[in-house]
Amino acid sequence: MAVPIAVLDCDLLLYGRGHRTLDRFKLEDVTDEYLVSTYGFPRQFICYLVDLLGATLSRPTQRSRAISPETQILAALGFYTSGSFQTRMGDAIGISQASMSRCVANVTEALVERASQFIHFPKDEATVQTLKEDFYGLAGMPGVLGVVDCTHVAIKAPNAEDLSYVNRKGLHSLNCLMVCDSRGVLLSAETHWPGSLADCAVLEQAALTSRFETELHKDGWLLGDSSFLLRTWLMTPLHIPETPAEYRYNMAHSATHNVIERTFRTIRSRFRCLDGSKGTLQYSPEKSSHIILACCVLHNISLQHGLDVWSAPAAGHMEQSEEEYEQTESVDSEACRVRQELLLTHFS
């Protein structure tokens, strides 16, 4: 006679079906220092996330017991900031490794759904003007609406062994295109591009390009390094500066563009799941892209809560842009004219 095989839920054996939610961990039971050291963020920030995501994370489910939003958020923050599903992290809040993984997936999707709420360019004229003034205060570069660059995040090899994700170092990665303001707040984040694409190819296909070419470049521009081509809305360094004005322009450009490099370092330092020290993200490219974007959302929320973008210590392992390029000047004559006018007006 066939014997039915039951799939046992360890949590069910421990807690039974009488519990509607699993509140194994209480924020009020631990110190602020413990929360920061274990989950990377203070109590007030975690409580804000519970309020923000609670309704989404409490969606009706077929499961007889639901893990509370608070516990799900702690589990996800623990993974984002440590890059690990180690048993001790689950033990701290009383859930299994499998439940940890589900919590990360739930919180990640909830944050991704809110990405446009927290990552966007300013729209009103007063805020745009303030954005430009803040950038000008860094090194005297006028008209800057943001600095743009790409960074690679390592992922596991896709099941289909898609070579499009193999970067120049022979590693599988996603090439992420981001723009930030002078404080490191992200204004745009496209995290899904395959690692084999060069930075200029990513920008060519990005939603960012169509937006700037149709609406956002009327009175300003982005700053990008020489992995990108000069455009009327994207100012790049001069390949071989010759005049004092060209040298001053390049120096101001470099000092201003450095903001996004510092922002990348800070994001990787705060969210160790992205820095490579714990290995690659063990997910499909799509899920890995969502985790990166979720961390970008949390980065911006942390700045809104006064958590200084530059205060985190440097990460031990960095995976910067894979680009090894030959600098080429744009053939866009109008873009060359715009940059030349900028040189004459502000750097001569």
Side-chain angles (χ1 to χ4, degrees):
M1 184 174 95
V3 178
I5 299 175
V7 178
L8 299 180
D9 185 329
C10 295
D11 292 334
L12 180 60
L13 292 176
L14 288 172
Y15 297 95
R17 291 189 177 274
H19 287 69
R20 297 187 61 185
T21 61
L22 299 180
D23 294 311
R24 308 178 180 88
F25 181 96
K26 296 292 185 181
L27 284 176
E28 58 267 24
D29 293 340
V30 297
T31 65
D32 291 336
E33 291 75 13
Y34 175 82
L35 290 173
V36 172
S37 64
T38 307
Y39 304 103
F41 292 96
R43 188 185 312 274
Q44 183 180 10
F45 181 89
I46 295 170
C47 290
Y48 173 82
L49 292 182
V50 173
D51 290 340
L52 177 70
L53 307 178
T56 301
L57 297 176
S58 300
R59 282 181 238 186
T61 173
Q62 303 245 339
R63 294 169 60 86
S64 58
R65 302 152 300 100
I67 299 174
S68 69
E70 180 180 281
T71 300
Q72 292 184 62
I73 288 167
L74 288 171
L77 291 178
F79 169 72
Y80 297 147
T81 58
S82 73
S84 174
F85 279 130
Q86 289 179 356
T87 305
R88 65 175 181 81
M89 184 65 71
D91 288 346
I93 50 178
I95 61 176
S96 66
Q97 182 172 321
S99 294
M100 278 278 295
S101 182
R102 288 193 296 271
C103 292
V104 171
N106 292 341
V107 175
T108 295
E109 292 311 307
L111 288 168
V112 167
E113 288 173 5
R114 290 161 176 78
S116 61
Q117 177 182 346
F118 294 99
I119 303 175
H120 56 80
F121 281 91
K123 295 181 179 179
D124 63 282
E125 291 186 10
T127 307
V128 171
Q129 184 59 35
T130 299
L131 183 67
K132 294 179 185 178
E133 291 172 356
D134 289 344
F135 271 120
Y136 186 80
L138 293 179
M141 180 69 75
V144 180
L145 299 171
V147 288
V148 59
D149 207 349
C150 287
T151 187
H152 286 251
V153 176
I155 63 172
K156 74 171 184 178
N159 291 334
E161 279 298 322
D162 189 342
L163 294 179
S164 68
Y165 291 94
V166 179
N167 61 36
R168 294 175 66 97
K169 291 187 176 180
L171 305 174
H172 291 83
S173 68
L174 291 168
N175 195 4
C176 306
L177 178 73
M178 301 187 194
V179 180
C180 75
D181 70 9
S182 63
R183 296 191 305 118
V185 175
L186 294 174
L187 306 175
S188 177
E190 299 185 35
T191 60
H192 61 284
W193 296 104
S196 67
L197 286 180
D199 291 1
C200 59
V202 168
L203 184 63
E204 186 68 31
Q205 302 173 54
L208 179 70
T209 293
S210 60
R211 289 191 66 198
F212 264 82
E213 289 185 343
T214 57
E215 56 180 291
L216 286 175
H217 73 287
K218 298 179 178 62
D219 298 306
W221 37 70
L222 300 179
L223 296 188
D225 63 23
S226 295
S227 61
F228 302 113
L229 292 176
L230 179 71
R231 300 168 184 257
T232 55
W233 50 268
L234 177 64
M235 294 293 102
T236 60
L238 287 130
H239 178 23
I240 304 176
E242 296 178 346
T243 67
E246 290 175 346
Y247 276 103
R248 284 192 289 269
Y249 167 86
N250 271 13
M251 290 178 63
H253 187 292
S254 177
T256 307
H257 188 266
N258 185 54
V259 171
I260 197 163
E261 296 168 7
R262 296 170 68 192
T263 300
F264 286 158
R265 288 195 294 271
T266 299
I267 291 173
R268 291 178 182 278
S269 177
R270 181 166 280 158
F271 303 107
R272 300 304 293 271
C273 68
L274 307 182
D275 76 1
S277 65
K278 299 290 184 180
T280 62
L281 284 174
Q282 296 297 302
Y283 297 91
S284 67
E286 180 181 9
K287 289 184 178 180
S288 295
S289 169
H290 284 187
I291 287 173
I292 300 166
L293 185 56
C295 291
C296 290
V297 173
L298 289 172
H299 167 78
N300 275 10
I301 295 176
S302 70
L303 290 182
Q304 289 184 3
H305 282 73
L307 302 179
D308 188 0
V309 67
W310 312 128
S311 63
H317 179 89
M318 284 294 300
E319 188 72 32
Q320 265 305 114
S321 177
E322 305 294 334
E323 292 298 292
E324 294 177 13
Y325 49 83
E326 291 185 7
Q327 293 177 315
T328 56
E329 288 293 350
S330 173
V331 295
D332 184 335
S333 58
E334 178 61 16
C336 292
R337 185 197 65 77
V338 170
R339 186 170 64 182
Q340 188 61 30
E341 182 177 331
L342 176 61
L343 279 163
L344 293 173
T345 304
H346 293 279
F347 295 96
S348 294

